[in-house]
Amino acid sequence: HVAYLRGADSKVCVKVQHRGVASMVGTDLATIEFICERAAKYHPDAPDTTDLIRQWRRASKEEVDFLKEAGNARDAAACLQRCGIDVGCPMPIASCCGKRVLTMAFIEGWKITDVDRLPLGTDREAICRPLVDAFAALVFDIGLIHGDPHPGNVFAEPVDAGGGKPKRIRAALLDWGIVQRMSEAE
């Protein structure tokens, strides 16, 4: 949802979790687990899905915890800033976040695959190179893997170029609900 912070005129994005989503996800996963166990029992050639289900269960629990998502977004933004990588990442507004409500800076933009929306003459490599650098920095600097980098979560964002110049385009990474954290040893 789009909203404005009272008294600040700041445009924000508000993500609200509907009641019962967390328990519905748990039920769905239990059903999938049951089907996989039955498949393994009655079909000896069925693949072992134990690790897959375990990872899916972990990711699903984390995805419905918006405070965890806010922390992931803050960690990602801090890493990108520290590394000097110009890729947007919406900052959460901590005072407006909870386990089932996530409020963050609004990112104006569009799916990175909507290339027809890019201004004429836009250097696509200049947009994508920092994006590749961002994924590398997140993994190798803080061990953070964005687990859902589809075009709806990777935006082309117009930003002020300064000095009265027309806006330039940069990549922005959205939705930090599904991540994998790696240890230094991994």
Side-chain angles (χ1 to χ4, degrees):
H1 304 287
V2 176
Y4 291 87
L5 292 181
R6 190 177 300 165
D9 283 337
S10 297
K11 191 174 185 179
V12 294
C13 176
V14 181
K15 188 172 170 180
V16 179
Q17 185 182 121
H18 294 279
R19 278 197 176 96
V21 167
S23 71
M24 201 170 8
V25 167
T27 301
D28 289 348
L29 284 170
T31 302
I32 292 168
E33 194 168 19
F34 174 80
I35 291 168
C36 290
E37 287 170 357
R38 288 292 184 243
K41 180 177 179 181
Y42 296 113
H43 301 284
D45 295 336
D48 180 6
T49 59
T50 308
D51 287 339
L52 176 65
I53 299 285
R54 187 180 320 114
Q55 286 294 326
W56 212 351
R57 192 175 294 282
R58 179 204 55 82
S60 296
K61 282 181 186 172
E62 290 179 4
E63 188 173 20
V64 295
D65 182 348
F66 289 172
L67 288 173
K68 191 169 280 263
E69 182 172 345
N72 294 336
R74 274 192 298 277
D75 290 349
C79 174
L80 297 175
Q81 186 174 23
R82 187 175 53 256
C83 293
I85 298 172
D86 187 27
V87 169
C89 184
M91 283 301 292
I93 290 77
S95 62
C96 300
C97 291
K99 195 168 173 107
R100 293 181 42 213
V101 176
L102 177 62
T103 306
M104 61 201 113
F106 190 87
I107 299 284
E108 299 283 352
W110 57 87
K111 291 179 183 182
I112 199 151
T113 54
D114 291 345
V115 295
D116 294 344
R117 295 188 65 181
L118 293 172
L120 194 61
T122 299
D123 181 355
R124 293 184 205 177
E125 186 176 326
I127 298 169
C128 293
R129 186 173 306 281
L131 184 58
V132 171
D133 292 342
F135 283 117
L138 290 166
V139 170
F140 296 114
D141 192 53
I142 62 171
L144 185 65
I145 299 171
H146 190 299
D148 198 17
H150 61 79
N153 288 337
V154 183
F155 266 31
E157 176 190 22
V159 292
D160 189 10
K165 296 178 185 173
K167 291 191 174 196
R168 63 184 179 79
I169 306 296
R170 72 174 180 181
L173 291 171
L174 312 178
D175 194 352
W176 292 92
I178 298 177
V179 302
Q180 177 69 43
R181 294 204 176 248
M182 296 174 36
S183 69
E184 208 168 299
E186 291 173 309

